[in-house]
Amino acid sequence: MTVSGTDPAARLEILLGTAISTVIDLGRSHAWRLLRVRTADGRELFVKAAAGQHDSDSVLRAEAAGLRWLGQAAPAGLVPAVEATETGLLVLPWLAEAEPTPAAAERFGRELAALHTASAAHFGAEWPGWIATVPQDNRLETGEWADWYVRRRLAPLLPLAAPRLGSGGSRTIERVLTEIERLAGPAEPPSRIHGDLWSGNVLWTESGARLIDPAAHGGHRETDLAMLELFGAPHLDRILAAYHEAAPLADGRQERVPLHQLYPLLVHVVLYGGSYVDRTVAAAIAALGQ
């Protein structure tokens, strides 16, 4: 395509030190444009470009920081390398998709377990957090995950979601906050987690699964697994079985899945509205054991 004056091709040429031969506009996602770029030296790249909305550059900086942080501990290849960053730009390798196989799913389960067992020093992260376009409070803390989950994840979202949840739904979720110590299960140290690991953020390639679009932070490893279950994932049973074999989970994990899904469901209520209300309230009720 012909690159217009508003396209980031010229900035990419300076950033990458090579001419850009092709730019394919893949459309928009949230507050950024998505581009497939080919350089004159033969590289295929995926570029996110801030589209001018408030905070979109901060979101890209958080994504880059999260990918680099996860990549420090992840098995080789699981987390794509950040090729380059600049204000309003994030450059990643282009990853060609392939059909997920049972063998690839089992490998992914083992690799995710390996990532999680590389513990984090704190809950939270050293950069301001985002999940999609919703800010996350990533202040670093020690202590128990249950308390952190309430104060830094659930409680900040509840006022934003309350107008759509209604008084009854809000009261149910407030009960979860109050009873979190009973619901959270055995204490675990913080793990390096992806933080937004729904199936759309697992990209399957010929070489295996790749983690994209993280909301990375030190958190509870069951959160990533619950996110995989939220909207389903290819060969999920194989992923979970391989994970559990490599890094066994505490008894009662399945009963805690709704608790870990409550936060991303609240995010969906905030972003997309009423269609997620019933499922969010149902997750809160299930978390309470009712």
Side-chain angles (χ1 to χ4, degrees):
M1 65 176 278
T2 301
V3 179
S4 72
T6 59
D7 283 310
R11 292 176 61 203
L12 285 169
E13 289 184 343
I14 296 171
L15 182 62
L16 299 172
T18 185
I20 302 298
S21 60
T22 308
V23 177
I24 300 173
D25 195 327
L26 303 176
R28 294 172 68 123
S29 175
H30 298 294
W32 40 87
R33 295 170 58 200
L34 308 180
L35 308 170
R36 181 176 181 177
V37 172
R38 179 185 288 274
T39 65
D41 57 9
R43 283 181 286 172
E44 291 270 2
L45 301 170
F46 176 69
V47 177
K48 285 186 172 182
Q53 285 87 344
H54 177 64
D55 287 329
S56 57
D57 179 57
S58 177
V59 176
L60 296 183
R61 290 198 303 271
E63 181 176 345
L67 287 169
R68 288 169 171 146
W69 183 69
L70 293 174
Q72 292 170 2
L78 180 63
V79 178
V82 175
E83 298 283 345
T85 57
E86 190 186 67
T87 301
L89 291 175
L90 172 61
V91 184
L92 304 170
W94 178 263
L95 300 173
E97 295 188 59
E99 285 295 317
T101 65
E106 291 173 2
R107 176 182 171 187
F108 173 49
R110 293 190 295 270
E111 290 182 338
L112 185 62
L115 172 61
H116 286 170
T117 54
S119 62
H122 304 85
F123 293 109
E126 294 182 352
W127 54 88
W130 296 86
I131 182 166
T133 55
V134 176
Q136 292 180 318
D137 185 346
N138 269 353
R139 279 176 284 185
L140 295 172
E141 292 186 9
T142 55
E144 298 294 333
W145 172 80
D147 177 64
W148 177 87
Y149 185 52
V150 166
R151 291 185 297 103
R152 304 302 182 203
R153 291 296 183 261
L154 298 179
L157 279 190
L158 188 52
L160 301 177
R164 290 166 171 154
L165 292 169
S167 59
S170 295
R171 283 196 300 271
T172 301
I173 294 171
E174 287 168 357
R175 281 192 57 200
V176 174
L177 273 59
T178 301
E179 300 181 32
I180 190 69
E181 297 295 339
R182 174 178 71 84
L183 306 176
E188 285 207 3
S191 294
R192 294 192 191 213
I193 70 170
H194 179 283
D196 191 14
L197 197 60
W198 72 288
S199 60
N201 286 341
V202 181
L203 195 152
W204 300 91
T205 74
E206 291 289 351
S207 301
R210 301 291 181 264
L211 302 184
I212 61 173
D213 293 343
H217 62 275
H220 198 302
R221 61 196 183 114
E222 290 181 11
T223 296
D224 274 353
L225 300 179
M227 288 283 284
L228 281 175
E229 295 186 63
L230 185 56
F231 299 114
H235 310 295
L236 180 60
D237 57 337
R238 300 285 187 108
I239 296 171
L240 295 176
Y243 183 103
H244 190 75
E245 182 178 347
L249 296 153
D251 291 344
R253 184 198 77 87
Q254 200 60 44
E255 288 71 32
R256 293 187 294 274
V257 167
L259 177 65
H260 288 269
Q261 291 178 342
L262 187 56
Y263 173 70
L265 286 168
L266 281 171
V267 170
H268 278 72
V269 171
V270 170
L271 287 176
Y272 306 117
S275 61
Y276 287 94
V277 167
D278 288 348
R279 190 167 182 184
T280 303
V281 175
I285 293 170
L288 289 165
Q290 297 179 338

